Amino acid sequence: MSGTPEVAELYSAIEESARLLDVACSRDKVWPVLTTYGDAFSHAATVVAFRVATGVRHVGELDCRFTTHPNERDPYAVALSNGLTTQTDHPVGALLFDLQGRCPIDSYGIDFGVVGGFKKIYAFFTPDDLQELSRVADIPSMPRSLAENGGFFTRHGLDDRVGVIGIDYPHRTVNVYFNEVPAECFESKTIQSMLREIGLPEPSEQMLRLGQEAFGLYVTLSWDSSKIERICFAVTTTDLTMLPVRMEPEIEQFVKGVPNGGADRKFVYGVASSPEGEYYKLESHYKWTPGMMDFI
């Protein structure tokens, strides 16, 4: 698909956002993703967001993510046929197909970097049909670490709250997002307990303050470890000054100039804990209207 006016407009916004971070936007990486899924941008319900994050792993990159419609088109097959990613015998290549056969998927999302290109596919379940953890964990290509940590999720009331599965193809990891999270999960003592239980560093005061305002959380798993590799708490807001924490300088710089494609402004601010320490991420919604799905 050639570039439509919507695609050209979005590409310009991505270039402008990358300049704010002194990140070189690679047209060779970005344009093929936008044109491959170009029909998504003509839909009023499509969500588009830009994300920046702190931490060594994220330096020099700007991510963009968007939802795709309609859901009948397999986004992984489309990525393969358009050369956005390569076929693999690793279970990561089979996971979306297996999910489609086991769970009712409502829609999809695509994530790519202006430097790294195509990265992730998200499978969204409807808010009124959250999935049982046991059903998702039983999928043959799912990392076994999800089932092996089933007791952890059950103890915290998350075993029937799976709302989104994110598949990271380059890193070969999976994000499991939980919706309608019990309020107790965001209490400081519970956050401390959760991190200790899965062997992650003690949370900072800033992480605890942000966690108390969170609406959702997700974990990162891989096929190479039985451990939960990362856990992230996310807060949504239309006014960043209302957050109970001070933003990192690089994120604050990004916020001041990032383009907005509509009248309403919305942000999702997250804090993640990993073995290497905490890092922060900000997602700025370029296209969003009230009532649309939160895209953490």
Side-chain angles (χ1 to χ4, degrees):
M1 178 181 292
S2 60
T4 63
E6 292 88 356
V7 166
E9 181 181 350
L10 179 55
Y11 181 79
S12 295
I14 292 171
E15 275 194 320
E16 182 180 345
S17 300
R19 280 196 296 271
L20 294 172
L21 299 168
D22 292 324
V23 172
C25 179
S26 172
R27 185 181 177 89
D28 290 343
K29 296 290 187 178
V30 174
W31 193 254
V33 178
L34 297 184
T35 53
T36 293
Y37 300 99
D39 56 345
F41 307 115
S42 62
H43 289 265
T46 296
V47 178
V48 181
F50 304 140
R51 193 198 75 168
V52 61
T54 64
V56 175
R57 176 178 172 180
H58 306 282
V59 170
E61 181 66 290
L62 169 69
D63 291 318
C64 178
R65 63 246 333 241
F66 56 89
T67 53
T68 61
H69 306 268
N71 62 9
E72 289 83 7
R73 190 169 71 151
D74 185 319
Y76 183 57
V78 170
L80 286 171
S81 63
N82 285 272
L84 301 182
T85 189
T86 56
Q87 190 75 51
T88 177
D89 292 331
H90 189 277
V92 72
L95 183 52
L96 186 63
F97 177 80
D98 287 349
L99 269 172
Q100 291 164 338
R102 300 287 186 100
C103 302
I105 298 174
D106 178 65
S107 59
Y108 297 102
I110 306 297
D111 187 302
F112 67 94
V114 303
V115 175
F118 176 85
K119 293 181 179 179
K120 300 179 185 178
I121 292 176
Y122 301 91
F124 295 94
F125 310 123
T126 58
D128 59 354
D129 191 19
L130 301 180
Q131 297 299 295
E132 296 280 346
L133 186 83
S134 58
R135 185 179 191 182
V136 177
D138 193 46
I139 291 173
S141 54
M142 183 67 68
R144 293 301 90 205
S145 49
L146 183 58
E148 290 169 3
N149 288 282
F152 170 83
F153 298 115
T154 299
R155 281 191 293 278
H156 293 290
L158 301 171
D159 51 315
D160 59 349
R161 309 291 175 93
V162 179
V164 185
I165 300 294
I167 307 169
D168 187 322
Y169 292 93
H171 292 107
R172 295 182 173 178
T173 58
V174 173
N175 289 343
V176 180
Y177 296 77
F178 298 93
N179 292 2
E180 299 179 11
V181 175
E184 301 80 48
C185 289
F186 303 129
E187 295 176 358
S188 294
K189 62 181 181 180
T190 305
I191 293 174
Q192 290 173 317
S193 174
M194 292 171 82
L195 267 58
R196 290 190 192 117
E197 185 175 352
I198 58 180
L200 292 175
E202 284 290 314
S204 67
E205 284 300 318
Q206 178 158 308
M207 182 175 190
L208 294 176
R209 288 197 300 273
L210 198 67
Q212 290 173 357
E213 305 293 330
F215 76 94
L217 66 85
Y218 70 87
V219 298
T220 301
L221 308 164
S222 79
W223 286 267
D224 300 325
S225 171
S226 61
K227 295 182 178 181
I228 295 172
E229 297 195 349
R230 289 186 295 278
I231 186 168
C232 181
F233 299 88
V235 178
T236 183
T237 182
T238 56
D239 184 357
L240 287 167
T241 65
M242 299 301 292
L243 292 178
V245 297
R246 182 180 180 277
M247 286 186 297
E248 287 68 23
E250 56 267 49
I251 290 181
E252 190 170 9
Q253 173 187 338
F254 176 71
V255 168
K256 289 179 180 178
V258 62
N260 178 26
D264 295 308
R265 174 71 88 181
K266 183 181 181 183
F267 302 96
V268 178
Y269 194 66
V271 54
S273 178
S274 72
E276 295 76 30
E278 293 176 14
Y279 63 94
Y280 295 82
K281 54 185 76 176
L282 178 83
E283 187 172 277
S284 174
H285 283 63
Y286 174 76
K287 184 181 178 184
W288 170 82
T289 56
M292 284 188 181
M293 179 187 313
D294 284 320
F295 200 5
I296 51 176

